[in-house]
Every structure is written in C-alpha cells, then in structure tokens.
Amino acid sequence: MFLVEIFKAIFFGIVEGVTEWLPISSTGHLILVDQFLGFSSVSQAFQSMFNVVIQLGAILAVLVIYFDRLNPFKKGKSKRQIRLTWQLWAKVAVAALPAVVLGFLLDDWLDATLYNFVVVALMLILYGLAFLYVEKKQENQEPRITSLSKMSYLTALYIGLFQVLALIPGTSRSGATILGGILVGTSRSVATEFTFFLGIPIMFGASFLKLLKLLVSGVSVTGFQWLLLGLAMVTAFGVSVLVIRFFTDFVKKHTFVLFGKYRIVLGIIILIYFGLGLLF
C-alpha cells in the first residue's frame, strides 16, 4: 500500500515537471491524473494542496538554472548587468500583480466551480485552436521584441494580464503567457523565458496560499503524506531541469503548432471519455 502511494507521488512529480513548462496545462493534467490515479489515503483538501505545492519543485529548477542571471549580487557583474537584473525583477513584479490579486480573491470560487473535466477539456481545445491561429497569423511577421532588456513595463503588464486567464484550469500558465507575449510582439524565445521567470512569484504565492488554507482548516496531515509531497517535489525538480533545457532549445527552431494539436486531441478525448461515463 505505502509503496504504491510512493510510486503515485513520483508519477505526479513527473507529470508536473513535464507539463508545467510545456504549454499544455499542468493543472489540467494533474486533475486528470488524480481522476485515474489519485491517492487512496489522503483527503480532498490535501490533494488540492498537493496539486499546487508540488509546483515548488518545478520552480526551483528555474532558480537553479538561471541563478546567475537572476542574482543581482553575483560577483563580476557590471553595473549595466546589475541594472538589467533589477529591471527584469521589476518587470516580473509588474506582470505578476494581476494574477496575484485575482488569484487571492477568487481562489475558493475557482476550486469550487471550475475544477472539473468539462472546463479542463474545453480550455485545452480552445487554447489549442488559439495556438494554431496565432502561429498562422504570425507566420511571416518578425517580432518587435527580441530580448528581455528591450521589453517595456507596459508589455510586461500585458503579458501579466494574459496570465490571469490561466487561473482557469486547463488553460496553462505558460500557454497563456507565451500566447500573450507573441501577440504583443515578443519572440517565442523571449515569451518563453519571461514565462519561466514569471512563474517564480506566482507559484510561490499560490503554494503559500494553499498551505496556509490547509493548516488553518485544521485538516490532519500525516508524516507519510508530507513524505509523498516531498517526493513529488523532488521528482518535479529533476524532470523540470531536463524539460526547461529541452524547451528553450525547441522554441528557437520550432513553432507551437505541435502543442496546439496535442491540446485539441487531448481535450476531445477527455470530453468523449468522461461524457460517455456520465451517459453509461
């Protein structure tokens, strides 16, 4: 029994590490994995917290990979490099603000209303179609913004507004912000990198909020359940390191059409599978 739960935790971590960075919705995939392979020994409150907090393992991969770039106190940096680092953090803060505010205000409502297979499937399909449309529209257009240093604070805010859409499960935080970045003139590489950095305050904030709510609710959490969470986070970290490196190379040479098609196919499969389950 315990061994099965441990394998489940590792599988959750693998799914999180892969889907957090690819524009295919980590939350949507975790909800689906929970439907088929959920833990048998935890409460729904713990599972809800678990699905969010394991993202900390994924975001730590960003901090490790980009530590030098994100650290304004690194020895050897020129004054210009230090200034650009602080400007990057300021742009991240501006972009994160809309999702932080609305996520805090709507968290309970979102959990109660939108975390179901219909919403996940529809968002997978909708944003899959959006990727296909945007890629077609931008086919012969050159991006105006080809580096983060050239991104204005207003552009960062626009991308942050797109990130708000990812509060709906199945949307994909990376998918929404990458689409938003491309639409406001950034290159795929810039949109992808900024998405990585933008996840730092968002994921830490969401994880802290979920943990706080669980602790305040008085739900009992066993030592073994904390172990499951830790294993999932460590797994998500290791997988994320590999996926981030793969994805940064991928976007330099390829469009997001493949991800758009994947989302559409998966969304249709989910609707058919769960729809037939309700009928029969």
Side-chain angles (χ1 to χ4, degrees):
M1 175 67 164
F2 285 168
L3 189 58
V4 172
E5 297 289 81
I6 286 173
F7 280 125
K8 288 181 181 179
I10 292 172
F11 186 73
F12 269 103
I14 293 171
V15 173
E16 166 61 24
V18 172
T19 60
E20 184 61 53
W21 309 112
L22 304 184
I24 55 178
S25 177
S26 63
T27 301
H29 279 76
L30 289 173
I31 290 173
L32 295 175
V33 172
D34 186 27
Q35 289 281 340
F36 293 103
L37 200 69
F39 295 115
S40 57
S41 59
V42 305
S43 65
Q44 185 56 47
F46 177 85
Q47 184 70 61
S48 177
M49 179 275 292
F50 177 96
N51 288 347
V52 173
V53 176
I54 60 171
Q55 295 175 345
L56 288 178
I59 200 60
L60 285 174
V62 173
L63 292 174
V64 169
I65 293 172
Y66 293 99
F67 182 77
D68 288 345
R69 186 170 176 185
L70 294 171
N71 181 13
F73 306 107
K74 183 180 181 297
K75 291 183 179 179
K77 276 193 172 183
S78 65
K79 290 184 178 180
R80 179 177 180 276
Q81 289 174 322
I82 293 172
R83 184 178 72 255
L84 289 175
T85 302
W86 283 118
Q87 287 177 354
L88 174 59
W89 278 112
K91 292 171 187 176
V92 167
V94 168
L97 188 60
V100 168
V101 173
L102 289 176
F104 177 78
L105 294 176
L106 300 177
D107 184 61
D108 290 335
W109 180 82
L110 291 168
D111 280 352
T113 310
L114 300 182
Y115 276 67
N116 58 72
F117 80 88
V118 175
V119 173
V120 170
L122 291 178
M123 291 302 101
L124 283 169
I125 295 170
L126 176 62
Y127 283 90
L129 292 171
F131 267 116
L132 299 184
Y133 172 77
V134 169
E135 286 291 1
K136 185 65 177 177
K137 182 180 178 182
Q138 303 291 116
E139 197 170 25
N140 299 313
Q141 295 187 30
E142 290 296 322
R144 294 182 297 102
I145 303 167
T146 55
S147 70
L148 285 172
S149 62
K150 295 179 181 177
M151 179 190 291
S152 68
Y153 288 97
L154 184 59
T155 299
L157 178 60
Y158 288 152
I159 294 174
L161 292 173
F162 275 95
Q163 182 174 237
V164 171
L165 299 173
L167 293 173
I168 303 173
T171 298
S172 170
R173 191 191 61 79
S174 62
T177 52
I178 288 172
L179 271 176
I182 293 173
L183 286 173
V184 297
T186 72
S187 67
R188 293 187 191 90
S189 296
V190 169
T192 300
E193 270 200 337
F194 193 63
T195 293
F196 293 162
F197 304 147
L198 189 51
I200 297 172
I202 295 300
M203 291 185 192
F204 273 103
S207 297
F208 175 77
L209 181 61
K210 287 293 185 184
L211 275 172
L212 182 62
K213 285 189 174 183
L214 183 72
L215 295 174
V216 170
S217 70
V219 173
S220 177
V221 180
T222 67
F224 181 67
Q225 289 172 349
W226 288 120
L227 174 63
L228 294 177
L229 177 60
L231 283 172
M233 289 172 59
V234 170
T235 304
F237 170 82
V239 174
S240 290
V241 169
L242 299 176
V243 173
I244 288 170
R245 287 173 174 164
F246 158 78
F247 195 41
T248 50
D249 289 335
F250 179 91
V251 297
K252 295 174 184 177
K253 305 171 185 176
H254 303 87
T255 69
F256 293 110
V257 169
L258 176 63
F259 299 112
K261 292 179 178 178
Y262 170 82
R263 292 178 64 105
I264 294 169
V265 171
L266 179 61
I268 292 172
I269 291 173
I270 292 169
L271 283 178
I272 293 173
Y273 179 86
F274 285 99
L276 289 176
L278 290 177
L279 290 175
F280 301 102

